């Protein structure tokens, strides 16, 4: 498969939360606003790209029996870097995302890509794979966050976007709203795919 | 056997590399992280208790050695200095009382260069909501303004100038004690600030 294909598969065919339905913990928890989704997505993308890079470089050195331990150490290191940098330069975002930043370590997309792709492929395709998956994840989270924010609080990235008499459905920014939204988006994506196939 | 050694060596090398990178990142971001915590956690209180200034008091910090705690670590107090035309005009620092109704009461006290109180803000406390928590109210806090002598910073019942909030005498006394402590520290603070 070409590098371009590795990159684009993460954007639609295998877009992580919607197609693979992986990594749902942050997807459901932090997408109360578009900005939080974007921040979480970018943090995950950073970890994904660099973890893929390092794991791909080391793929012939790491013995099979301890590969998971080695992957986790690499992933956890990048997560801590993200956490420290975010605390130093994006403190309000750091406060909002809270426990979900350290939890990137156990995000199954990252370990999944390390195991399924980076440990078997060369460096450039691995970076493309990480970048594609990361951007797909970011887009998904931002989109979900935007939908929930518009309906739930009537704003987008903190700016009011609805008409003045609009009454926000506050359930959308609470936990059930995440499930409702995710379900509807999954249905929509499946519907589009079915239509495409028929053609 | 060979496999075993290889596993140990590789995993150790990866962990060592990780430790190296992380300790570097930790060092590199340390000051900036401390500044952010100061800005977002203590910052609002600092700005509220200081008067006019044209510098960033959160960056003009003088550290004062407060001795050692029971674990032998050095305790430092941050003094936030407000300046105008590069001259210190007022300063703010934290003070604590453990005489509250429950837990510690942390206050930020702002003082001018003569040691008069210009503002008091209650930062953290766990007093009873609706009773002891009324020490956060401006009417109560404003009573401290202009006081200079620690003996004045007592409840009126004890010969001071502070009227307690009715029903919250203990909390009121604790805040007064914290402010009095800050005033007692002032002679040391002003020496360091004027250096």
């Amino acid at each position: 498969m070409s590098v371009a294909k590795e990159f684009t598969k993460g954007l639609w065919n295998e877009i992580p939360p919607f197609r693979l339905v992986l990594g749902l913990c942050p997807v459901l928890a932090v997408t109360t606003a578009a900005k939080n989704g974007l921040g979480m997505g970018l943090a995950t993308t950073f970890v994904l790209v660099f973890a893929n890079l390092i794991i791909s470089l080391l793929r012939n050195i790491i013995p099979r029996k301890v590969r998971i331990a080695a992957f986790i150490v690499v992933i956890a290191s990048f997560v801590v870097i993200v956490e420290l940098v975010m605390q130093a330069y994006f403190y309000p975002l750091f406060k909002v995302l809270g426990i979900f930043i350290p939890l990137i370590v156990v995000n199954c997309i990252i370990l999944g890509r390390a195991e399924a792709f980076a440990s078997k492929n060369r460096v450039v395709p691995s970076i493309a794979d990480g970048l594609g998956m990361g951007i797909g994840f970011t887009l998904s989270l931002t989109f979900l966050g935007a939908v929930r924010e518009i309906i739930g609080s009537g704003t987008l990235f903190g700016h009011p976007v609805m008409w003045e008499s609009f009454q926000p459905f506050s359930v959308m920014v609470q936990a059930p709203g995440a499930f409702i939204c995710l379900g509807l988006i999954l249905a929509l994506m499946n519907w589009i795919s079915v239509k495409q196939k028929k053609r | 056997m060979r496999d075993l050694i290889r596993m140990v060596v590789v995993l150790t090398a990866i962990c060592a590399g990780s430790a190296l990178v992380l300790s570097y990142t930790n060092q590199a971001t340390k000051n900036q992280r401390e500044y952010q915590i100061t800005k977002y956690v203590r910052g609002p209180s600092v700005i509220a208790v200081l008067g006019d200034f044209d510098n960033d008091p959160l960056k003009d910090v003088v550290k004062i050695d407060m001795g050692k705690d029971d674990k032998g670590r050095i305790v430092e107090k941050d003094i936030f200095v407000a300046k105008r035309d590069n001259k210190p005009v007022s300063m703010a620092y934290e003070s604590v009382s453990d005489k509250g109704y429950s837990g510690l009461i942390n206050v930020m006290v702002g003082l001018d260069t003569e040691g008069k109180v210009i503002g008091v803000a209650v930062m953290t406390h766990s007093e009873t909501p609706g009773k002891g928590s009324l020490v956060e109210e401006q009417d109560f806090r404003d009573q401290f303004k202009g006081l200079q002598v620690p003996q004045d910073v007592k409840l009126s019942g004890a010969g001071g100038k502070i009227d307690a909030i009715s029903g919250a005498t203990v909390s009121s006394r604790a805040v007064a004690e914290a402010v009095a402590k800050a005033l007692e520290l002032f002679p040391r603070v002003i020496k360091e600030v004027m250096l």
Side-chain angles (χ1 to χ4, degrees):
Chain A
M1 234 199 270
S2 70
V3 172
K5 253 189 179 164
E6 298 300 353
F7 175 72
T8 50
K9 74 173 186 242
L11 300 182
W12 179 259
N13 282 339
E14 293 181 25
I15 188 165
F18 298 150
R19 278 309 156 98
L20 308 178
V21 201
L22 279 181
L24 282 190
C25 166
V27 172
L28 296 171
V30 304
T31 53
T32 50
K35 195 177 138 217
N36 302 347
L38 184 65
M40 187 68 195
L42 291 178
T44 311
T45 306
F46 172 84
V47 176
L48 201 48
V49 170
F50 282 93
N52 266 11
L53 166 71
I54 300 290
I55 287 165
S56 174
L57 279 174
L58 299 176
R59 72 186 184 282
N60 294 324
I61 305 171
I62 299 173
R64 263 197 78 71
K65 281 181 187 157
V66 290
R67 67 182 194 287
I68 300 292
F71 295 168
I72 290 290
V73 172
V74 172
I75 295 167
S77 307
F78 284 110
V79 171
V80 176
I81 292 174
V82 166
E83 193 181 1
L84 292 175
V85 170
M86 203 181 260
Q87 193 180 2
Y89 297 98
F90 306 99
Y91 193 80
L93 187 65
F94 170 80
K95 270 291 191 212
V96 173
L97 296 181
I99 185 67
F100 293 102
I101 305 169
L103 280 179
I104 296 174
V105 178
V106 290
N107 190 321
C108 31
I109 297 170
I110 296 171
L111 188 60
R113 295 328 290 171
E115 168 78 358
F117 198 92
S119 64
K120 292 172 190 146
N121 287 281
R122 287 199 294 191
V123 174
V124 174
S126 295
I127 295 177
D129 175 78
L131 205 57
M133 286 287 169
I135 292 174
F137 189 70
T138 307
L139 289 176
S140 314
L141 256 68
T142 312
F143 179 66
L144 194 57
V147 172
R148 290 179 66 192
E149 192 183 346
I150 290 172
I151 305 176
S153 11
T155 57
L156 185 59
F157 288 102
H159 302 292
V161 287
M162 301 300 259
W163 59 96
E164 240 164 60
S165 59
F166 174 75
Q167 283 292 323
F169 293 92
S170 58
V171 69
M172 288 307 274
V173 290
Q174 288 157 10
F179 286 98
I180 296 169
C181 247
L182 184 70
L184 290 176
I185 292 171
L186 285 178
L188 184 71
M189 288 199 60
N190 283 335
W191 182 69
I192 294 174
S193 294
V194 168
K195 277 224 153 175
Q196 273 180 337
K197 249 183 218 159
K198 266 187 191 159
R199 224 185 283 149
Chain B
M1 193 58 195
R2 211 183 222 168
D3 263 9
L4 198 71
I5 294 172
R6 190 162 164 232
M7 279 194 270
V8 173
V9 170
V10 169
L11 213 47
T12 310
I14 291 178
C15 290
S18 154
L20 200 74
V21 172
L22 290 186
S23 59
Y24 173 76
T25 318
N26 186 32
Q27 279 303 317
T29 56
K30 198 166 184 231
N31 288 336
Q32 181 64 21
R33 276 184 294 135
E34 275 173 8
Y35 174 70
Q36 293 278 36
I37 290 175
T38 308
K39 183 175 169 192
Y40 286 98
V41 179
R42 294 190 286 185
S45 307
V46 171
I47 304 300
V49 298
L50 290 174
D52 268 349
F53 51 84
D54 57 12
N55 66 330
D56 181 358
L58 300 178
K59 280 198 169 144
D60 276 323
V61 176
V62 178
K63 288 188 187 287
I64 290 192
D65 187 355
M66 297 295 288
K68 287 178 176 167
D69 65 5
D70 36 334
K71 281 180 190 145
R73 283 176 301 204
I74 295 169
V75 183
E76 283 181 328
K77 196 185 267 292
D78 291 339
I79 314 292
F80 301 97
V81 184
K83 294 180 177 172
R84 219 170 0 189
D85 301 326
N86 251 330
K87 278 194 190 127
V89 287
S90 57
M91 62 219 71
Y93 46 93
E94 267 176 75
S95 188
V96 178
S97 169
D98 56 1
K99 303 273 165 60
Y101 195 69
S102 71
L104 299 176
I105 299 185
N106 266 297
V107 298
M108 182 66 75
V109 183
L111 299 159
D112 65 12
T113 47
E114 288 164 3
K116 273 196 195 119
V117 176
I118 50 179
V120 172
V122 179
M123 290 199 299
T124 54
H125 69 81
S126 28
E127 302 303 294
T128 321
K131 282 252 179 231
S133 72
L134 294 177
V135 295
E136 288 176 9
E137 298 289 316
Q138 183 148 18
D139 285 348
F140 176 73
R141 291 185 287 114
D142 278 352
Q143 296 184 73
F144 293 97
K145 278 189 185 166
L147 298 182
Q148 193 168 10
V149 192
Q151 281 72 30
D152 285 345
V153 186
K154 278 182 184 162
L155 297 187
S156 43
K161 291 187 172 168
I162 306 297
D163 291 329
I165 293 168
S166 56
T169 315
V170 176
S171 309
S172 310
R173 192 188 301 139
V175 173
E177 192 212 47
V179 176
K181 270 192 204 165
L183 284 173
E184 279 161 19
L185 193 66
F186 180 75
R188 272 192 64 195
V189 171
I190 190 77
K191 250 189 253 162
E192 299 275 338
V193 169
M194 287 303 178
L195 273 183

